[in-house]
Amino acid sequence: MLSLSCRRLPLVLLVLGLSAFAAEPSPQLLLQPSRARPGDPVLITMRGPKEAPTGTLGERPLRFFAVPGGFAALIGLPVEQVPGQLPLTVLVAGAPGAEPTRLTHMLDVGEPGWRTRTLKVANKFVKPPPEVEARMEADQAAFSTAFAQPFADPLFDKAFVLPRKARVTAPYGDLRTFNGQKQSQHFGTDLSGGTGTPVSAANGGTVVMTRDNYAAGNTVLLHHGAGLYTAYFHLSAIAVKEGERVKRGQLLGKVGNTGRVTGPHLHWGARIDDLWVDPTTLLQLQFTASDRSTSGAASRETR
């Protein structure tokens, strides 16, 4: 397995000898990370095209948005993704009357290396009593509404950063057993912190949820555009309102121990379309040329 520093480097593919681009510089395809794992976000950037390309990664369609000098698409790999070679195909429009140019590449997907953990929580979070079923259904409906934002251009122009600089106590992907019976997978990164310590926005976006949820506790969800959301769970206090536009680093709330927890901490999640992805990989993606010096990094445990 490559080290995290190696995985940060984008794969750059220069497509040469394309007749449709004879009068223009050849299009350039940048793939980040160059070697992925199940659950990773993947950023695909096309430099050069004048019109938005189309394409797929595996069987999932790509949705491109404009960036300086070209277009980009952000997509997530499912945690069930089988390690191996995953085909990437991008179609770039050519000159008027010419056939589109087809670019192909194979993304190398490595083993995930999920950890296995056993945790003890209050029994009501393993077998919720009947009287909270309606609340849990309402929570699910609220999440579905929050995650149904129309696809839009990014609401950020900088790299993502940690919502708090802290030790990772539970990485994305942990396979968990609660009270010796209920099994689940951890679709976020837990960051240490005492109750009342500040939690900040990982990047610019719009607040689409501020809610006390049964399992997630006090929750803030941000929509960043490009099909991307970040989540902040178990807060003791919330400092923003739904519909508010926030900037990277703006205070969202404070660390707490609300919801299904074993102690105070921040559960930080990232979601692309319908998939929860590893937020620590999101930190490494270079959305702009200046990101090389601004992206954050977590003190993380190896998956």
Side-chain angles (χ1 to χ4, degrees):
M1 182 177 292
L2 296 180
S3 67
L4 180 60
S5 60
C6 291
R7 294 175 67 247
R8 290 181 60 181
L9 300 176
L11 176 67
V12 182
L13 303 174
L14 185 60
V15 184
L16 301 173
L18 303 178
S19 59
F21 290 90
E24 301 178 5
S26 296
Q28 194 176 42
L29 176 66
L30 295 88
L31 186 62
Q32 302 178 63
S34 59
R35 185 174 190 268
R37 294 179 293 191
D40 271 348
V42 177
L43 179 63
I44 299 156
T45 306
M46 285 297 308
R47 303 295 187 194
K50 305 301 182 183
E51 299 180 13
T54 60
T56 56
L57 180 62
E59 297 181 354
R60 295 179 66 85
L62 301 175
R63 297 195 290 181
F64 283 89
F65 49 87
V67 296
F71 296 86
L74 191 61
I75 192 169
L77 298 183
V79 294
E80 304 87 359
Q81 180 65 50
V82 177
Q85 300 291 304
L86 188 63
L88 168 66
T89 302
V90 178
L91 296 178
V92 180
E99 292 293 322
T101 300
R102 181 185 180 93
L103 288 68
T104 61
H105 180 67
M106 300 299 289
L107 174 64
D108 186 15
V109 180
E111 295 286 344
W114 310 127
R115 300 190 322 174
T116 300
R117 302 184 69 195
T118 299
L119 300 173
K120 179 70 175 178
V121 298
N123 285 331
K124 66 179 181 178
F125 292 114
V126 177
K127 293 184 177 180
E131 58 267 25
V132 303
E133 289 182 1
R135 179 183 175 188
M136 294 176 67
E137 291 176 0
D139 291 345
Q140 185 58 50
F143 274 106
S144 296
T145 298
F147 288 135
Q149 306 303 313
F151 187 80
D153 288 341
L155 301 175
F156 58 92
D157 56 7
K158 299 177 182 178
F160 279 75
V161 295
L162 286 168
R164 54 177 286 102
K165 293 183 178 180
R167 180 174 60 92
V168 173
T169 56
Y172 173 94
D174 270 5
L175 298 171
R176 295 173 159 186
T177 300
F178 291 97
N179 298 4
Q181 50 183 310
K182 183 176 177 63
Q183 295 183 335
S184 67
Q185 192 159 16
H186 189 225
F187 293 131
T189 295
D190 287 351
L191 299 171
S192 63
T195 299
T197 52
V199 173
S200 302
N203 218 329
T206 300
V207 180
V208 292
M209 175 185 281
T210 58
R211 180 182 174 86
D212 178 12
N213 294 291
Y214 182 72
N218 290 328
T219 298
V220 172
L221 294 183
L222 298 183
H223 177 225
H224 301 282
L228 174 62
Y229 303 80
T230 54
Y232 311 78
F233 291 175
H234 310 308
L235 302 175
S236 62
I238 294 174
V240 290
K241 297 179 180 180
E242 289 188 20
E244 183 177 347
R245 282 288 299 268
V246 298
K247 299 179 180 179
R248 186 179 74 166
Q250 182 174 330
L251 180 68
L252 298 180
K254 297 181 180 181
V255 171
N257 61 349
T258 57
R260 186 173 71 180
V261 294
T262 57
H265 69 280
L266 171 68
H267 172 104
W268 178 45
R271 184 180 172 104
I272 300 174
D273 297 325
D274 58 342
L275 295 177
W276 290 103
V277 297
D278 188 345
T280 60
T281 302
L282 183 67
L283 294 172
Q284 313 308 328
L285 301 184
Q286 299 171 4
F287 290 90
T288 67
S290 62
D291 286 348
R292 293 178 178 85
S293 60
T294 60
S295 59
S299 172
R300 59 181 284 178
E301 300 180 27
T302 304
R303 287 200 322 224

